[in-house]
Amino acid sequence: MAAAVRLRQRNLMDRLLNWYIDTVRSHFALHGLPAIKNPNVPGILSDLISVGNVLKRVLATLCDAWHHYMFPISFIYADNSNKDDMLARIRFRHSLTAMIDIALSDHEFQLMAHMLVEHHLTACGKHEENQMVDDRDEAQRLAFLAEIRQQIDVLQVQDRMERIVAEVYHKFIPRYISRQYARIWEQEQRAEPLMVELKNLIYGPITRCVSVLIRRDELLESRLYELVTECLVKLGIEEMFDIVIYFPDSIPALGYLKMCLKTQEHRAQLVTEFQNACHARLLHCGANTSDIISFYMSTIRAFKLLEPRGVLLDKVSRSIRRYLRDREDTVKCIVNGMLEVEDANTGDLSELGKELASSSGTQSADAVDDNGYSDMNWVPDPIDAAPDFRNKRSSDFIGSLLSLYDNKEVFVKEIVVVLANRLLDLKNYEIDREMMHLELLKLLFGESDLHNCDVMVKDILESKRVDSNIHDPTTVAPGTYPVAGIVHASMLSKLFWPAFRDEDLALPHVIEEQLNRYSAKFSILKSARKLTWLKRLGSVDVTLELEDRTLDFTVSPDRASMIYLFQERSTYTLTELSARLNLDEITTRRALGFWIKNDVLKEDESCNDKFILLERAEESKKKVLLDDAAESSVQTTEEKATEEMRIYWSYVNGMLTNIPALPIDRIQSFLKMLIPKEVGYSRNVDELRDFLTVMVAEEKLEYVSGSYRLKR
């Protein structure tokens, strides 16, 4: 009987609780929600103080409702020792919390709460993002936030406030990091190192601000700082291309990135983003090869500082190395850089010359310890290393560039050409600089490969001695004439020098006479030997005395011979100049372009291809005929390869006579089968393609639909 009474009482109390919950919900919908609505919210968003007051009023209203609705429950179900009373209180509290949580999910409340939290975080970071000034100091701000926290605790909606704080913090920190530290890499621009500054910010005012609003635990500070490091990593990854460009000024940024770059995901993202930036901003036809090489060297330095093992460098540099291999002038740029040759076409890579002087002898082009057997501090490669990863020396730029190609022969050939041009351009036979570079290159490539260079240097030294004897007045033989002091020559051993341009330039008769005297004197000093003059090689110091000015130039023999003709008369046509100088039209136009550019000649406006000497300077419209850059005296490696391929032209001609059109692969196959062994054919398809392209330019062949045929 007593049990039945208790059951009825319990059912009655459950029905009473259900009725009260429904009544509270209806009452809150009719009276509570309208009370916390503010129709003027859009108008107060520009006033931070008003936003804070409205937010406090809303929470205060909800707290009053909480106490009002909870009072009957705490009176009716007051027995803490009764399990049913405790469950009833918990059930009602959950229902009331759910109603308040729904009320707080209103868009206007969310907007005000986000705005208030963001303002206080911004104040902690000493940056007013929306430029809204609030003159409360930190103590006042914390006191204000403490009042908000008390109301949140009463309403038991801490989870919603934690979500709001987390959302604002995750938006604020990336924006703050980006605005405060983006592209600020120099440590001198910061009052203190970036990581220390951020730690002081996170563990100081931001932690105090956040811990007032949400429940603080032992992991709060580490979680806040973890997001900061994540943002720094993302910023560093986005800026890595620019960091490499501005290296070494950007070294502090690499230090910060190294401290934060911990996970494999970050490393993979860095590689991907950097490679994408390289393809978009560097690895295209609009970039100079010298700029790409300079960027590659900065990449080596930067990534070795970021990750000394070199795994990241190996990954990001593969696309750069692949692109450099495909560039036609890569070898020329590297050799010019090592020999410190100033060339407008290849850019300035003199840093390679300094690197050659500082590192030669420590490692040759053939000796690289990839296995690390001699390294007592060896450790296994990182887990993300490629299967063919090989660690290189930290600053071996030249070794990295030389390893672009499978063999060093391509570099040796270019070194011979560049050194020959350097030696031929010398005055007064001063070759100390060239000898120094040659000795450094021997340490890198070996003496046997640079034997021709040794002979070229010895030729210049011997030429200095012979030239001195030829101009010695005490050695003039009876019946001969002395050689004028204006003529100096270099005697070259033809077999050891690269091929020269063999055009027979017609020099002025006074110069021809001096050259003949020079040859006669040489034959006396070196019996049974004679000189063959390469008249287009060398340089001439020219002084032009015009009516109103005197001009000094150092020019090539063809340019000097051309301007010498204008002593006879002041007007020449292009055809006349080509015939008198024994030059082709292209070379003649190039020489004319030089004198027109320097206001010595001008083209007659009334007659094409007719040129007039300007005795008096005048304002004239300069017509560009051809690029007037000085032409190299020595054949380039490409030109030499083309000349050597000409011995196979008769085979190609006969082949295409019998078969009207052939693709390059079949031409290559036929050449390998048909050319006798004593002649020999060991060229690859790329060399054959270059030769056939020259034949097309000379109008001996046509290229139609992927096949070559004889020009009709």
Side-chain angles (χ1 to χ4, degrees):
M1 189 68 181
V5 172
R6 286 196 298 272
L7 181 60
R8 285 195 297 270
Q9 289 178 347
R10 183 182 305 171
N11 291 335
L12 180 62
M13 296 301 292
D14 289 342
R15 291 171 58 189
L16 177 63
L17 180 61
N18 291 334
W19 170 84
Y20 186 67
I21 290 175
D22 292 338
T23 303
V24 167
R25 287 174 178 172
S26 301
H27 184 273
F28 186 77
L30 292 174
H31 303 284
L33 289 179
I36 63 176
K37 287 286 185 180
N38 191 334
N40 298 323
V41 168
I44 67 173
L45 290 179
S46 60
D47 184 2
L48 187 64
I49 297 178
S50 299
V51 169
N53 292 333
V54 170
L55 195 63
K56 286 180 62 178
R57 183 182 62 79
V58 169
L59 292 175
T61 301
L62 292 175
C63 287
D64 290 342
W66 175 278
H67 291 299
H68 179 74
Y69 295 140
M70 281 296 298
F71 178 75
I73 296 297
S74 61
F75 179 76
I76 297 174
Y77 302 96
D79 189 358
N80 293 328
S81 61
N82 190 321
K83 181 179 179 181
D84 294 336
D85 287 3
M86 293 180 60
L87 292 176
R89 289 199 303 270
I90 292 174
R91 180 184 172 191
F92 180 76
R93 187 179 295 112
H94 286 172
S95 177
L96 185 57
T97 301
M99 288 189 298
I100 293 177
D101 191 60
I102 293 174
L104 293 180
S105 64
D106 182 74
H107 173 70
E108 294 176 351
F109 176 83
Q110 294 285 327
L111 188 62
M112 291 188 294
H114 277 77
M115 185 177 176
L116 185 68
V117 175
E118 184 174 357
H119 166 73
H120 286 283
L121 289 178
T122 302
C124 294
K126 302 177 183 179
H127 177 67
E128 302 280 341
E129 189 153 325
N130 292 320
Q131 303 301 323
M132 295 182 294
V133 179
D134 182 10
D135 55 0
R136 293 187 180 95
D137 57 14
E138 185 179 6
Q140 291 175 321
R141 290 197 303 272
L142 294 179
F144 179 81
L145 294 177
E147 296 178 14
I148 300 291
R149 170 63 185 272
Q150 290 177 357
Q151 295 171 327
I152 295 295
D153 290 342
V154 169
L155 299 174
Q156 298 184 4
V157 288
Q158 294 90 345
D159 291 343
R160 177 163 294 278
M161 180 54 68
E162 288 181 2
R163 286 196 298 271
I164 293 175
V165 172
E167 290 174 1
V168 174
Y169 185 78
H170 277 75
K171 293 179 181 178
F172 163 74
I173 287 298
R175 189 160 55 237
Y176 178 81
I177 294 293
S178 178
R179 297 187 62 170
Q180 294 295 104
Y181 303 109
R183 301 186 65 85
I184 299 179
W185 303 316
E186 295 82 357
Q187 194 166 1
E188 292 76 10
Q189 295 186 8
R190 310 299 312 160
E192 53 187 335
L194 182 145
M195 298 305 295
V196 175
E197 181 178 326
L198 286 175
K199 282 184 178 180
N200 293 336
L201 174 66
I202 298 302
Y203 295 150
I206 286 185
T207 298
R208 289 193 293 269
C209 174
V210 172
S211 61
V212 170
L213 288 173
I214 64 177
R215 290 172 297 214
R216 181 170 183 171
D217 57 27
E218 62 277 5
L219 299 178
L220 176 63
E221 293 179 351
S222 61
R223 290 171 180 169
L224 296 177
Y225 186 68
E226 182 179 348
L227 179 60
V228 172
T229 58
E230 180 77 17
C231 294
L232 278 177
V233 169
K234 291 182 178 179
L235 180 64
I237 290 174
E238 293 173 358
E239 294 184 339
M240 193 62 202
F241 187 89
D242 295 308
I243 290 174
V244 171
I245 289 179
Y246 288 97
F247 190 91
D249 294 335
S250 58
I251 287 179
L254 292 171
Y256 308 144
L257 184 58
K258 181 179 180 180
M259 295 174 62
C260 302
L261 194 68
K262 301 297 183 182
T263 66
Q264 297 298 330
E265 291 78 11
H266 288 155
R267 292 165 65 93
Q269 184 181 2
L270 173 61
V271 172
T272 301
E273 292 291 335
F274 187 80
Q275 288 180 334
N276 292 339
C278 287
H279 284 291
R281 301 173 58 180
L282 183 72
L283 304 181
H284 53 76
C285 58
N288 293 330
T289 303
S290 59
D291 294 335
I292 300 176
I293 294 175
S294 296
F295 183 85
Y296 178 45
M297 291 191 293
S298 296
T299 301
I300 294 175
R301 290 196 186 97
F303 276 87
K304 276 295 186 177
L305 283 178
L306 182 63
E307 196 248 350
R309 289 289 296 169
V311 174
L312 292 178
L313 173 62
D314 176 69
K315 290 184 175 182
V316 301
S317 63
R318 293 195 177 205
S319 59
I320 303 177
R321 292 171 60 85
R322 190 183 309 113
Y323 188 81
L324 283 174
R325 277 196 297 269
D326 295 338
R327 280 260 177 152
E328 294 181 355
D329 58 342
T330 299
V331 175
K332 183 177 182 180
C333 289
I334 295 174
V335 171
N336 283 349
M338 290 192 295
L339 296 179
E340 299 181 284
V341 176
E342 297 180 2
D343 190 336
N345 295 325
T346 59
D348 182 17
L349 289 173
S350 57
E351 185 179 359
L352 283 177
K354 299 176 183 177
E355 176 67 17
L356 177 66
S358 63
S359 64
S360 283
T362 60
Q363 186 174 20
S364 69
D366 295 325
V368 179
D369 184 13
D370 286 336
N371 296 315
Y373 294 140
S374 59
D375 186 5
M376 302 304 295
N377 297 318
W378 179 88
V379 293
D381 294 331
I383 192 172
D384 58 339
D388 58 345
F389 167 71
R390 292 292 182 272
N391 192 15
K392 303 293 191 304
R393 291 193 305 134
S394 61
S395 60
D396 185 18
F397 308 125
I398 293 180
S400 298
L401 291 172
L402 295 183
S403 64
L404 288 173
Y405 300 90
D406 295 333
N407 61 73
K408 59 185 177 180
E409 187 64 27
V410 291
F411 291 100
V412 173
K413 290 180 179 179
E414 189 64 31
I415 288 172
V416 172
V417 172
V418 173
L419 184 61
N421 277 311
R422 285 273 297 273
L423 294 174
L424 293 175
D425 291 339
L426 290 174
K427 292 185 178 181
N428 301 324
Y429 306 100
E430 298 295 334
I431 61 172
D432 293 342
R433 185 163 169 249
E434 285 68 28
M435 291 179 65
M436 178 194 71
H437 284 138
L438 180 57
E439 292 302 319
L440 293 174
L441 291 171
K442 286 181 183 178
L443 297 175
L444 191 63
F445 292 97
E447 294 192 13
S448 59
D449 291 319
L450 298 176
H451 173 66
N452 286 10
C453 296
D454 271 334
V455 175
M456 291 191 295
V457 169
K458 291 177 182 178
D459 283 346
I460 300 301
L461 292 174
E462 179 65 14
S463 298
K464 180 179 181 180
R465 185 185 66 81
V466 173
D467 184 78
S468 177
N469 290 333
I470 289 176
H471 288 93
D472 187 354
T474 61
T475 61
V476 177
T480 62
Y481 296 96
V483 179
I486 61 173
V487 178
H488 300 276
S490 297
M491 280 64 78
L492 314 178
S493 303
K494 182 178 180 180
L495 295 178
F496 297 94
W497 287 71
F500 299 107
R501 305 183 190 279
D502 56 357
E503 300 171 6
D504 188 14
L505 173 66
L507 297 174
H509 65 279
V510 292
I511 301 300
E512 289 282 4
E513 181 182 352
Q514 292 298 322
L515 296 184
N516 292 333
R517 292 184 183 181
Y518 200 101
S519 297
K521 189 69 176 292
F522 177 82
S523 298
I524 295 174
L525 293 175
K526 299 285 187 178
S527 58
R529 296 174 66 183
K530 66 176 183 178
L531 295 177
T532 300
W533 292 97
L534 302 173
K535 297 178 181 179
R536 289 208 49 198
L537 274 63
S539 61
V540 182
D541 293 330
V542 176
T543 299
L544 301 181
E545 296 180 356
L546 303 171
E547 290 184 7
D548 62 342
R549 64 201 186 282
T550 300
L551 304 174
D552 294 317
F553 298 97
T554 299
V555 296
S556 59
D558 56 342
R559 294 174 180 176
S561 300
M562 173 179 289
I563 202 63
Y564 186 87
L565 293 177
F566 283 86
Q567 290 189 127
E568 301 175 3
R569 65 176 198 259
S570 60
T571 303
Y572 279 95
T573 64
L574 178 64
T575 304
E576 291 173 338
L577 290 172
S578 296
R580 291 286 301 272
L581 296 173
N582 195 26
L583 293 175
D584 60 84
E585 183 177 322
I586 294 178
T587 306
T588 305
R589 285 185 177 275
R590 185 177 287 112
L592 284 167
F594 173 82
W595 293 117
I596 291 174
K597 179 180 178 181
N598 288 280
D599 294 323
V600 176
L601 300 177
K602 74 171 184 177
E603 188 171 7
D604 192 347
E605 297 179 357
S606 62
C607 181
N608 290 334
D609 292 340
K610 186 176 182 180
F611 303 92
I612 303 172
L613 178 67
L614 290 175
E615 285 287 354
R616 290 185 173 276
E618 62 179 41
E619 293 292 333
S620 61
K621 296 181 180 179
K622 301 174 185 178
K623 181 179 179 181
V624 178
L625 302 177
L626 280 175
D627 183 13
D628 65 332
E631 188 177 12
S632 173
S633 303
V634 180
Q635 287 184 343
T636 63
T637 52
E638 294 82 2
E639 293 172 335
K640 183 179 179 182
T642 300
E643 290 299 321
E644 293 174 350
M645 286 286 291
R646 289 185 184 275
I647 64 174
Y648 306 117
W649 168 244
S650 59
Y651 297 96
V652 176
N653 187 29
M655 190 187 309
L656 295 177
T657 300
N658 296 321
I659 305 176
L662 286 173
I664 190 170
D665 293 335
R666 293 195 62 189
I667 296 176
Q668 175 79 349
S669 300
F670 281 140
L671 289 175
K672 288 184 176 180
M673 290 188 297
L674 300 177
I675 295 178
K677 291 184 178 180
E678 55 270 18
V679 177
Y681 181 79
S682 59
R683 306 291 179 172
N684 57 40
V685 175
D686 292 332
E687 291 174 314
L688 177 60
R689 181 180 292 107
D690 293 339
F691 172 66
L692 295 179
T693 302
V694 173
M695 295 298 100
V696 171
E698 295 180 0
E699 298 187 350
K700 295 180 180 180
L701 293 178
E702 290 180 330
Y703 184 69
V704 180
S705 301
S707 298
Y708 293 91
R709 66 186 184 188
L710 294 175
K711 182 75 173 180
R712 296 176 181 175

